[in-house]
Amino acid sequence: MNRLWQAAQSFEPRGLPLGLARSLLAFAQLTTLLLTSDRTLFADPPGVTASTRCAGLKGVSLWCVSGGDARTYTLGRVLAITVLLVVIVGYRPRWSCIAHYYVTFSIAVDVTATNGGDNVAEIFAMLLIPICLDDRRTWAWQKPAGPLRPAWRGGAFAAHAALRCQIAIIYLAAIASKLAFPSWRDGAALGVLAHDPEFGFPGVVQPYAQQLLSHAWATDTLTWSVLVVETLIALSMAFRRRTRSYGVVLAILLHGAIIVLMGLFSFGLIMIAVVLAACTDMPTPRRASDQTRQEAVIAV
């Protein structure tokens, strides 16, 4: 308990990993908005109108507030792109984090062409709000002028801990869902996936993949390696920042391969950004630590 208290008192998330994670998340969703047509993004079933699609909580989302029909899709898209660009360049993280969450929430509830990462992005952006609300820097790339104020530090630390738990849950759930299928348990999953008509490997890779996956040992090894990597990423969240940084490397390798072989570009970038955010607890300089303790005493 004492170690946890010390970690909370010296918590400092405002480093390069936080800025990169936020920018990468925003860039992933920006590519979706820039490269996907309205017809694909908002492919409502026949008979669904703006009033039914925007019922309940969805009514406060960006595309519903802006009108909820095809005539106002462009307005919502422009507003969302503007917010995402502000996040990417790192301007005023204290305020842009709220608008960023609103955009990710709107994409998650409005866009019908989801890629599996939009709900993750929404949770991630929500947990970043307590971490960023006391970030008084003009640009996310500047060094902090001082430590977080005690009133905000505890909330930021709790949000960061929740983020790490959420990452572990996501990967453990992914492992459990895969193991429910015999093809993952017997090691044949990648061989089947390579020829899937929707998510199969691209044509330029097919000849090499077919040659490699024709060997049972290669198919088994590659299939089970996915489960091993996901397990290691999940477990790394329970350890110190150095160990979690290894989880970032594994996430880049895993999701980089998914991007290349399956074309899930936005999903892969979102997952890399989320794991990178787990390493935002930067080492606090000794001098800053002393100041932090003094502030804690004064606050008490």
Side-chain angles (χ1 to χ4, degrees):
M1 185 62 69
N2 184 47
R3 180 177 296 180
L4 183 63
W5 170 257
Q6 291 177 351
Q9 289 301 308
S10 61
F11 182 65
E12 176 52 77
R14 297 167 297 172
L16 183 60
L18 177 62
L20 289 176
R22 294 183 71 238
S23 295
L24 191 59
L25 175 65
F27 177 73
Q29 298 198 300
L30 178 65
T31 59
T32 299
L33 295 179
L34 289 177
L35 302 177
T36 312
S37 66
D38 288 341
R39 179 176 298 181
T40 303
L41 284 178
F42 308 103
D44 292 324
V48 174
T49 63
S51 58
T52 56
R53 184 168 62 83
C54 293
L57 186 59
K58 291 184 178 181
V60 301
S61 63
L62 178 58
W63 280 274
C64 287
V65 169
S66 62
D69 55 33
R71 294 172 297 177
T72 58
Y73 284 164
T74 300
L75 174 60
R77 186 190 293 261
V78 170
L79 292 174
I81 289 174
T82 301
V83 170
L84 294 175
L85 286 174
V86 171
V87 176
I88 289 173
V89 299
Y91 182 68
R92 295 289 183 184
R94 183 180 187 180
W95 305 118
S96 63
C97 68
I98 300 175
H100 187 196
Y101 169 69
Y102 180 60
V103 170
T104 59
F105 161 77
S106 299
I107 292 175
V109 300
D110 279 332
V111 173
T112 56
T114 57
N115 56 27
D118 296 322
N119 291 329
V120 175
E122 179 191 359
I123 296 172
F124 175 32
M126 179 182 65
L127 291 174
L128 285 179
I129 293 177
I131 296 176
C132 294
L133 276 181
D134 195 41
D135 192 344
R136 290 159 284 174
R137 297 172 297 169
T138 303
W139 299 97
W141 319 112
Q142 297 173 326
K143 290 184 177 181
L148 292 172
R149 289 174 291 182
W152 290 101
R153 191 182 303 115
F157 180 78
H160 186 262
L163 175 64
R164 289 165 57 183
C165 291
Q166 186 66 45
I167 294 171
I169 292 171
I170 289 172
Y171 281 100
L172 291 175
I175 295 166
S177 64
K178 288 182 176 67
L179 290 176
F181 294 93
S183 60
W184 281 97
R185 296 197 299 270
D186 62 24
L190 280 189
V192 176
L193 189 60
H195 300 92
D196 186 271
E198 185 174 0
F199 297 109
F201 296 170
V204 67
V205 179
Q206 281 286 358
Y208 305 100
Q210 187 173 359
Q211 184 178 2
L212 176 62
L213 296 177
S214 63
H215 303 285
W217 63 267
T219 305
D220 294 347
T221 301
L222 292 174
T223 298
W224 290 328
S225 68
V226 174
L227 300 175
V228 171
V229 169
E230 289 181 334
T231 301
L232 292 176
I233 295 173
L235 293 178
S236 70
M237 295 300 110
F239 294 91
R240 294 184 177 181
R241 182 175 181 271
R242 180 186 294 272
T243 303
R244 278 177 270 136
S245 65
Y246 298 143
V248 175
V249 175
L250 292 175
I252 293 174
L253 293 175
L254 173 64
H255 294 290
I258 291 175
I259 290 172
V260 172
L261 297 177
M262 299 177 62
L264 298 177
F265 184 77
S266 178
F267 170 77
L269 292 185
I270 288 172
M271 295 309 302
I272 293 172
V274 170
V275 179
L276 177 61
C279 292
T280 56
D281 48 333
M282 303 298 294
T284 305
R286 183 185 186 92
R287 188 174 181 179
S289 298
D290 294 339
Q291 184 177 353
T292 298
R293 286 193 293 271
Q294 292 174 3
E295 290 179 351
V297 172
I298 293 174
V300 174

